[in-house]
């Protein structure tokens, strides 16, 4: 779904996105990770970069400052 964390994830690049109520697709995504080591490692590396780039203390500080002004 495009709610919560899914708004910040590129499916297949830095995470896997699936509808919150579709357990069959969730199961498919988990099996995809289990079968594909290259994908697992790639997502792990890119997820760390995404978090460092988009969710860091400087951005959080800017967000808090915007709330106080």
């Amino acid at each position: 779904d495009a709610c919560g964390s899914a708004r910040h994830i590129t499916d297949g690049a830095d995470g896997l996105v699936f509808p919150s109520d579709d357990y069959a697709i969730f199961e498919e995504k988990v099996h995809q990770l289990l079968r594909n080591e290259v994908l697992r490692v790639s997502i792990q590396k890119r997820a760390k970069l995404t978090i460092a780039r988009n969710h860091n203390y400087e951005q959080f500080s800017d967000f808090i400052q915007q709330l106080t002004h």
Side-chain angles (χ1 to χ4, degrees):
D1 288 328
C3 63
S5 299
R7 290 179 292 196
H8 307 285
I9 297 171
T10 302
D11 189 41
D14 55 8
L16 297 175
V17 179
F18 52 91
S20 60
D21 61 348
D22 194 329
Y23 301 106
I25 292 179
F26 170 71
E27 180 181 20
E28 181 182 315
K29 299 277 185 167
V30 170
H31 283 268
Q32 182 181 10
L33 286 175
L34 292 172
R35 288 188 309 265
N36 190 335
E37 182 179 3
V38 172
L39 179 64
R40 276 195 317 270
V41 171
S42 174
I43 286 176
Q44 179 185 17
K45 288 178 182 178
R46 293 197 60 191
K48 288 179 182 180
L49 293 173
T50 297
I51 290 168
R53 185 176 54 244
N54 298 324
H55 304 283
N56 57 50
Y57 289 116
E58 183 179 338
Q59 289 177 333
F60 183 68
S61 173
D62 291 344
F63 172 74
I64 296 299
Q65 288 179 7
Q66 289 175 0
L67 292 177
T68 61
H69 291 108

